[in-house]
C-alpha cells in the first residue's frame, strides 16, 4: 500500500472510528494547556481515559482486545513514565496524559508509542537548549545528576532533590512531546513505518 493510500485509510478511520480522532483532539488540548500553564487538567486526562475504557468495552480494538487491552495500555503508559515522575523529572499531569493515551492505544501499542514520545521529548529538549543557548548548563546538570545518582546507588540512599543540584536549564511542557510522539507513532504505524 502506498503512503498516500495509508494516509487516506487513516482519514477514513478518523471518521469511522472516533477513538483515534478523540485521542488526537485530547492530546492536542493537553499539549496546548501544558504549553500555556505548565499543567494538564485532570478532567482532560481522567475524562479521556474513562472514554477510552468505556468505548473499548463497547467497540473493542479487535475480537480479542477490548476493555482489558485498553486497561493494560493505561497501566503500561502509567508505569513506564512513573519512574520519571518519582525522580522529579516529569510532572504528574504528563504521566496521566501518557496513561490516557495508553488507554486509547491498547496494551500492545503503548510501549512503542512511549518510545516515540521519548524520541520526541529528546528532540524537543535539544531544540529548547539550542534555541536558548544553554548547552553548557545542560552538560553540567547532566554531569551533576549522573554523579548524584551514582553516589546514591553506591550508598543505597535516595537521590537528592533536583533543587539541590545546579540550576536547571528550565522546565519543558512535556505534554507537547507526548502529543507529538503519540500522533507521530499512530501515523507512522498507519503508513507502515512503525
Amino acid at each position: 500500500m502506498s503512503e498516500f493510500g495509508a494516509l487516506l485509510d487513516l482519514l477514513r478511520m478518523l471518521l469511522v472510528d472516533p477513538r483515534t480522532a478523540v485521542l488526537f483532539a485530547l492530546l492536542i488540548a493537553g499539549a496546548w494547556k501544558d504549553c500555556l500553564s505548565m499543567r494538564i487538567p485532570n478532567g482532560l486526562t481522567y475524562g479521556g481515559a474513562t472514554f477510552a475504557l468505556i468505548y473499548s468495552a463497547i467497540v473493542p480494538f479487535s475480537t480479542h482486545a477490548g476493555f482489558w487491552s485498553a486497561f493494560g495500555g493505561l497501566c503500561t503508559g502509567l508505569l513506564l513514565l512513573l519512574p520519571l515522575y518519582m525522580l522529579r523529572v516529569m510532572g504528574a499531569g504528563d504521566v496521566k496524559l501518557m496513561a490516557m493515551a495508553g488507554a486509547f492505544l491498547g496494551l500492545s501499542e503503548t510501549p512503542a508509542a512511549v518510545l516515540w514520545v521519548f524520541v520526541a521529548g529528546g528532540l524537543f529538549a535539544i531544540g529548547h537548549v539550542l534555541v536558548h543557548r544553554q548547552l553548557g548548563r545542560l552538560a553540567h546538570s547532566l554531569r551533576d545528576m549522573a554523579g548524584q545518582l551514582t553516589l546514591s546507588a553506591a550508598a543505597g540512599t535516595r537521590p537528592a532533590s533536583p533543587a539541590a543540584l545546579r540550576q536547571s536549564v528550565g522546565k519543558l511542557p512535556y505534554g507537547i512531546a507526548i502529543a507529538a510522539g503519540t500522533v507521530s507513532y499512530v501515523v507512522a504505524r498507519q503508513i507502515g513505518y512503525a
Side-chain angles (χ1 to χ4, degrees), residues 116-130 177:
W116 281 69
V117 165
F118 287 159
V119 169
L123 293 173
F124 182 44
I126 290 168
H128 176 79
V129 166
L130 293 175

Side-chain angles (χ1 to χ4, degrees), residues 85-107:
Y85 169 74
M86 293 170 63
L87 289 171
R88 299 179 187 102
V89 174
M90 181 176 289
D94 301 322
V95 176
K96 291 182 273 188
L97 186 65
M98 191 67 234
M100 179 209 69
F104 278 91
L105 297 171
L107 179 59

Side-chain angles (χ1 to χ4, degrees), residues 132-154:
H132 292 93
R133 299 178 186 218
Q134 295 177 334
L135 195 55
R137 186 187 277 181
L138 175 65
H140 290 295
S141 294
L142 289 174
R143 185 193 68 213
D144 291 350
M145 195 175 1
Q148 189 70 272
L149 289 173
T150 302
L151 288 174
S152 296

Side-chain angles (χ1 to χ4, degrees), residues 28-172:
I28 292 167
W32 180 254
K33 292 296 265 183
D34 199 18
C35 190
L36 293 177
S37 65
M38 297 298 285
R39 295 182 54 84
I40 300 171
N42 284 336
L44 185 139
T45 55
Y46 294 153
T50 302
F51 172 85
L53 293 171
I54 291 170
Y55 190 81
S56 295
I58 296 169
V59 182
F61 299 103
S62 65
T63 56
H64 61 280
F67 174 82
W68 291 110
S69 179
F71 184 72
L74 183 140
C75 292
T76 301
L78 178 74
L79 292 174
L80 289 176
L81 268 61
L82 193 58
L84 296 173
Y85 169 74
M86 293 170 63
L87 289 171
R88 299 179 187 102
V89 174
M90 181 176 289
D94 301 322
V95 176
K96 291 182 273 188
L97 186 65
M98 191 67 234
M100 179 209 69
F104 278 91
L105 297 171
L107 179 59
S108 64
E109 302 289 335
T110 302
V114 169
L115 288 175
W116 281 69
V117 165
F118 287 159
V119 169
L123 293 173
F124 182 44
I126 290 168
H128 176 79
V129 166
L130 293 175
V131 165
H132 292 93
R133 299 178 186 218
Q134 295 177 334
L135 195 55
R137 186 187 277 181
L138 175 65
H140 290 295
S141 294
L142 289 174
R143 185 193 68 213
D144 291 350
M145 195 175 1
Q148 189 70 272
L149 289 173
T150 302
L151 288 174
S152 296
T157 61
R158 192 171 192 181
S161 75
L165 299 173
R166 251 183 235 268
Q167 178 64 32
S168 169
V169 295
K171 290 177 69 173
L172 294 175

